[in-house]
Amino acid sequence: MALSRLSHRGVGSTLLRPFSARPISSDATLTIETSVPFTAHNCDPPSRDVATSAPELLTFFRDMALMRRMEIAADSLYKAKLIRGFCHLYDGQEAVAVGMEAGITKRDCIITAYRDHCTFLGRGGTLLEVFAELMGRREGCSKGKGGSMHFYKKESGFYGGHGIVGAQIPLGCGLAFAQKYSKDEAVTFALYGDGAANQGQLFEALNIAALWDLPAILVCENNHYGMGTAEWRAAKSPAYYKRGDYVPGLKVDGMDVLAVKQACKFAKEHALKNGPLILEMDTYRYHGHSMSDPGSTYRTRDEISGVRQERDPIERVRKLLLTHDIAAEKELKDIEKEIRKEVDEAIAKAKESPMPDPSDLFTNVYVKGYGVEVLISSNYTALEFYRRMDIFS
Ligand SMILES: Cc1ncc(C[n+]2csc(CCOP(=O)(O)OP(=O)(O)O)c2C)c(N)n1
Ligand SMILES: [Mg+2]
């Protein structure tokens, strides 16, 4: 089927409109088997046969390719010193963010760690908000004051963006508590890494979540490294889907967007009826841990290129689109070209956005007027102090 017949769904500008406009036409259902079987702990796994459609597969391709391009562009902006401070990239892991959105709704909540750019985009954020935030500009999603690790979009259920490893897990269970208390019939996905999976607070939060049957889904994005530490050096049992003991779990190929979608749908239904569940997403990050890590001292280049060749989530969907005759190679290349243009336009626009005003130091610190302005000395306030120290020049 020619791409034009699919009316270029979702191939508009993401600069000012929300990400991932759903396809207009809904073609016949396609059933595609997941790359590998699910492995379940204390529950029956969902079917490996995933229902999808041509427009959905095209949207998956486009959304993941857009995320990939955005992260590559962030890498260049960082090297050009236009992005400063911390910056953790998500390329390689895109199928988790995209597949999860396909299995849930924006009434469900998501909370994650610092590798949050693509999750934000998946929740409906725009490229402009991403690049402006990364460059510390006012049009950023956190008004340029959060930076890479602190993206938020509360109106579509995205609660950050957290720099303290594991801290988002109990917060996520708190969101699930609120959902149950308010009878929302919605769930919370709390994402964390394999490094965080060994922390005590995870088990404390899980205990309460299980005790109170909270609709919490703990998603371990297992990219197999915590900074530069391989999972086998840090975890006695790296079978993270089983680590909840009395809490059911499912191991999922996190490089297969369809498997992620199926698992998240299943997890939502399970959590609403029975309480928490762990999803272990077997995934991989191509970049180093953060911009200061070349990512090649604790793993071989062959390992990275092997994953790229055999498991890349975008290439997997490209193959599906070609073998099911949904799009031709040239059409997919055109989509990628268009994406590059969109990303470049967003960066140009973000560069025009002003930096926050010094007075913004005191806004959005406390909720609605709670808190006080700091007095550095009896003679002047913190703002005056910073001015005198020439910090804004
Ligand atoms: C409480 C705490 N301890 C240590 C750190 C430093 N730190 C930042 S990321 C990280 C590794 C986390 O690895 P993982 O959970 O696997 O997530 P990934 O970076 O692989 O996505 C560490 C130790 C931190 N930010 N917070
Ligand atoms: Mg990790």
Side-chain angles (χ1 to χ4, degrees), residues 114-115 163-165 193-196 199 223 225-227 289:
Y114 38 81
R115 212 176 288 287
I164 304 300
V165 168
D194 46 297
Q199 281 193 348
N223 58 19
Y225 296 93
M227 289 187 134
H289 166 74

Side-chain angles (χ1 to χ4, degrees), residues 12-14 62 66 127 338-346:
S13 166
T14 352
R62 188 179 194 285
L66 185 69
L127 288 172
E338 215 169 319
I339 284 171
R340 272 171 184 260
K341 203 169 141 237
E342 269 178 48
V343 168
D344 290 348
E345 281 170 11

Side-chain angles (χ1 to χ4, degrees), residues 19-34:
F19 180 70
S20 205
R22 286 285 144 213
I24 308 157
S25 63
S26 152
D27 287 7
T29 303
L30 283 169
T31 304
I32 293 173
E33 192 178 58
T34 59

Side-chain angles (χ1 to χ4, degrees), residues 290-307:
S290 67
M291 297 310 296
S292 56
D293 169 23
S296 51
T297 51
Y298 48 86
R299 54 185 187 174
T300 62
R301 290 196 189 280
D302 283 353
E303 178 182 303
I304 306 167
S305 58
V307 177

Side-chain angles (χ1 to χ4, degrees), residues 18-22 63 97-98 100-110 119-125 153-159 179 186-187 268:
F19 180 70
S20 205
R22 286 285 144 213
D63 289 355
V98 170
M100 184 169 60
E101 290 296 349
I104 64 175
T105 74
K106 299 289 186 282
R107 289 190 55 250
D108 299 308
C109 297
I110 298 180
T119 315
F120 170 78
L121 210 59
R123 287 269 94 181
K153 193 167 176 59
K154 186 171 168 239
E155 65 278 18
S156 51
F158 183 44
Y159 286 84
Q179 286 168 321
V187 302
K268 179 174 174 176

